[in-house]
Each structure stands twice: as C-alpha cells, then as structure tokens.
C-alpha cells in the first residue's frame, strides 16, 4: 500500500512529461521549419565553436541530429519544456533516454559552466531562427 502514492507520483510525472503517449520519435524525424539564418552574436558564435567540439558528433551540425543523438531544433526542446537548466544538467549529469530512441546521454566532461551557457545561446539562436519559439515567448540570456 505504501508504494501506491509513489506509483501515483510517477504516473503523474510521466503524464506531465508526455510519456504516457506514444514515444516522441516523430519529433526526431519531423522536417524543421525553413528560416533564413540570422547573424550569430559573439556569445552564440563562441557557443557554435564549443557545440561543434563537444556536441555535434551526436547532435549533428547546427543541432540537426544524427543517428547517435536527436535534433535540438524541435518543439520538444522549447525553452518552456526544456529550460536552460536542463542543458546544464545534461552536460553535468547526463540524461536518461526519454524523448528519443538513441539511448542515454552520458555526461560531457571538460565543458565549463561558461561554455554550457555559450552552447545554450547557440542552440536557442538556432531554435529562434527555426521558429521553435518567438522572442516574446523567451528571451535568450546572451
């Protein structure tokens, strides 16, 4: 009987994250909105360099995904669903598989907090350019 409340909490958490529905595999293969790329500011440009060194192997050039990791240019990674703190935690601790079929993401050693902020700036720039969110929904901190 004591496990019932825990089961209920887990069930509610899964519903809130959308896990009670079919897997989010369609997100990983859905065509992305076409948009003219905007100029990168200095922080986003530095983020692109760090992203290419530490993230692009799995998340692809311009975060478009590969057979090793999902695209980050998708509504599922909207700042309202996966906030900036989620990126920090992913780099620091890794992430269990939940929105993709690629397996767990391992922590990324050797990436500083400043570098993660630069990566976030770059990814949010790409998402904004792709129409994942509008400037009125979210203001990047860079």
């Amino acid at each position: 009987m004591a496990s019932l409340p825990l089961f209920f909490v887990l069930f509610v958490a899964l519903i809130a994250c959308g896990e009670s529905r079919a897997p989010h595999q369609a997100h990983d293969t859905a065509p992305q909105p076409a948009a003219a790329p905007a100029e990168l500011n200095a922080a986003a440009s530095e983020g692109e360099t760090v992203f290419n060194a530490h993230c692009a192997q799995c998340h692809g050039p311009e975060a478009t995904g590969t057979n090793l990791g999902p695209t980050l240019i998708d509504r599922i990674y909207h700042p309202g669903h996966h906030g900036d703190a989620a990126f920090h935690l992913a780099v620091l601790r890794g992430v269990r598989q939940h929105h993709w079929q690629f397996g767990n993401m391992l922590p990324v050693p050797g990436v500083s907090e400043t570098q993660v902020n630069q990566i976030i700036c770059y990814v949010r720039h790409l998402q904004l350019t792709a129409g994942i969110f509008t400037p009125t929904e979210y203001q990047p901190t860079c």
Side-chain angles (χ1 to χ4, degrees):
M1 193 75 170
S3 65
L4 183 59
L6 177 59
F7 170 77
F8 181 76
V9 170
L10 291 174
F11 179 74
V12 170
L14 289 174
I15 289 173
C17 194
E19 293 302 314
S20 65
R21 299 186 306 263
H24 296 286
Q25 293 175 359
H27 289 284
D28 297 328
T29 58
Q32 302 304 314
E39 287 290 318
L40 297 177
N41 64 25
S45 182
E46 291 171 11
E48 179 180 29
T49 300
V50 179
F51 182 92
N52 288 338
H54 296 280
C55 312
Q57 179 179 354
C58 293
H59 291 289
E62 297 183 347
T64 56
T66 70
N67 63 338
L68 299 175
T71 178
L72 300 175
I73 313 305
D74 189 290
R75 282 263 332 138
I76 202 69
Y77 296 104
H78 184 286
H81 185 71
H82 284 90
D84 295 352
F87 284 85
H88 281 279
L89 289 173
V91 171
L92 180 66
R93 297 183 186 167
V95 182
R96 70 172 177 79
Q97 175 178 312
H98 64 290
H99 288 302
W100 58 82
Q101 72 275 10
F102 303 99
N104 296 335
M105 177 182 158
L106 299 175
V108 184
V111 179
S112 71
E113 185 175 342
T114 298
Q115 289 173 314
V116 176
N117 287 332
Q118 292 167 336
I119 291 167
I120 292 167
C121 181
Y122 173 63
V123 170
R124 297 302 189 203
H125 170 82
L126 294 173
Q127 291 174 336
L128 177 63
T129 301
I132 302 300
F133 62 87
T134 65
T136 58
E137 291 179 284
Y138 171 82
Q139 280 294 321
T141 57
C142 58

